[in-house]
Amino acid sequence: MEPTITPLDATFGATVTDVDLAHMDEATWQRVEDAFHEFAVLIFPGQDLSDDAQVSFANRFGEIELLRGDPAAKAVAISNAKQDGSVLQPGEHRYQALRGNEGWHTDSSYMPLAAKASVLSAQVVPSAGGETAWADMRAAYDALDKDKKERIDGLSAYHSLYQSQAKIGHIVKTGAGYGYHNKGAPLRPLVKTHPVTGRKSLFIGRHAYRISGMDDNEAKSLLDDLLDFACQPPRTYTHNWRPGDVVIWDNRCVLHGARPYDYGETRIMRHTRVAGDPASELAPTGRDERASGFEPSASNM
Ligand code: OGA
Ligand code: MN
């Protein structure tokens, strides 16, 4: 059976049916990989993958990024439910991390090695809200006028999870929160060339907070303007999840974010992250050592 690939009503993305992700032959996998490069976001309704099958699927794209540095954590829950069945409360660290996920972002761009791709599947969904949205940064770059392209060409921004959490009022002290991320913020070009397709895209999002060689206020307004412009139709798609759906996105050229929902209801997603290839996803130059941990700065709030 050939997979059926139906483009979304947007500049990117496709729904893929007539495929069983847990049992793909080589020809089918090739179709899926080609579609991933062409569409950047692939929606697979009703797959109902097990944990292991999700990890195996992600593993076809590359090595799994070990979240929290834990070899066992290949598929992690993104959930507002706790072990005892109660839901997270606003004072809790994980609650703030989930709220942070509601901003447009890239996965792991604040790490020295950014992610290649992420796989997300739905287990339990709330009765309203809780969708996930994606935005096409290739089409966003293409849509910029010539002056804007010239202005940003050659600029690089620092990426930090401390800074993006601080923007939503979640203050994490150095060493107290993101252990893997205490050595300064990586610097990444605003315009990224895709290692496979060669297409240019904007590499921005909530973790980007300061531009090398630019006044901080000017950088903030440039980054905010670019993000506002980029994440508009027809460059966006919002997926209304049903349990069993699986989505993979190319973290090198799309942004994503969760949509809010009533945290009184439970939402359980399963996430698997594919590590970036160091040849293309390793932050090229120096770090912002001043950004080790949270550092109050009026322009970043
Ligand atoms: C993620 C993420 C958003 C969501 O899995 O990386 O940002 O909708 N998820 O849960
Ligand atoms: Mn994410």
Side-chain angles (χ1 to χ4, degrees), residues 78 101 103 105-108 118 120 207 249 251 256-258 271 273:
I78 300 213
N101 265 355
H105 67 281
T106 46
D107 285 336
S108 303
S118 298
L120 192 64
H207 303 311
W249 65 90
N251 195 62
H256 66 281
H271 174 113
R273 199 169 290 183

Side-chain angles (χ1 to χ4, degrees), residues 7-281:
L8 301 173
D9 184 18
T11 56
F12 70 139
T15 302
V16 187
T17 51
D18 300 319
V19 63
D20 174 0
L21 294 183
H23 303 96
M24 282 189 285
D25 61 20
E26 196 48 36
T28 305
W29 156 241
Q30 219 45 75
R31 295 291 303 266
V32 170
E33 189 183 35
D34 290 348
F36 170 75
H37 290 135
E38 180 176 354
F39 294 102
V41 176
L42 299 179
I43 316 286
F44 301 94
Q47 291 284 332
D48 290 307
L49 295 182
S50 67
D51 257 48
D52 284 352
Q54 177 164 328
V55 172
S56 299
F57 172 59
N59 218 189
R60 288 182 180 264
F61 292 85
E63 289 192 22
I64 305 302
E65 184 180 313
L66 298 179
L67 297 165
R68 304 163 198 152
D70 175 359
K74 291 190 169 179
V76 299
I78 300 213
S79 169
N80 66 328
K82 297 199 262 192
Q83 294 289 357
D84 65 6
S86 65
V87 295
L88 294 169
Q89 299 301 311
E92 299 183 72
H93 182 82
R94 275 178 54 217
Y95 177 101
Q96 295 296 337
L98 285 183
R99 285 297 186 202
N101 265 355
E102 293 173 5
W104 289 111
H105 67 281
T106 46
D107 285 336
S108 303
S109 66
Y110 46 81
M111 306 268 280
L113 187 63
K116 171 182 178 180
S118 298
V119 178
L120 192 64
S121 63
Q123 322 281 297
V124 177
V125 299
S127 58
E131 305 91 344
T132 305
W134 289 269
D136 183 358
M137 295 300 106
R138 310 167 305 176
Y141 176 79
D142 291 346
L144 294 173
D145 63 36
K146 192 163 157 287
D147 287 353
K148 213 27 164 284
K149 284 181 180 156
E150 275 168 13
R151 178 164 181 224
I152 64 173
D153 197 33
L155 295 180
S156 291
Y158 293 103
H159 289 241
S160 166
L161 185 54
Y162 290 95
Q163 296 293 333
S164 50
Q165 286 301 98
K167 287 180 211 166
I168 64 159
H170 182 215
I171 310 302
V172 185
K173 293 203 171 61
T174 309
Y178 310 116
Y180 46 78
H181 175 41
N182 280 335
K183 297 199 179 72
L187 184 60
R188 300 181 175 282
L190 285 189
V191 180
K192 181 171 176 59
T193 300
H194 195 282
V196 176
T197 66
R199 277 188 78 175
K200 286 186 172 180
S201 62
L202 280 176
F203 200 78
I204 52 177
R206 63 185 288 260
H207 303 311
Y209 70 97
R210 177 183 281 160
I211 291 176
S212 178
M214 188 182 284
D215 166 79
D216 283 351
N217 289 316
E218 199 187 328
K220 183 179 185 319
S221 80
L222 175 60
L223 291 168
D224 288 350
D225 287 353
L226 284 171
L227 197 61
D228 280 354
F229 170 80
C231 300
Q232 299 291 336
R235 298 181 287 275
T236 53
Y237 168 72
T238 302
H239 188 64
N240 199 358
W241 294 95
R242 299 175 69 135
D245 292 354
V246 174
V247 176
I248 183 160
W249 65 90
D250 190 333
N251 195 62
R252 301 166 296 189
C253 59
V254 301
L255 292 177
H256 66 281
R259 305 295 308 143
Y261 59 98
D262 175 359
Y263 277 28
E265 288 190 54
T266 300
R267 179 182 191 258
I268 306 176
M269 311 294 284
R270 187 199 291 128
H271 174 113
T272 307
R273 199 169 290 183
V274 181
D277 178 349
S280 54
E281 303 323 306

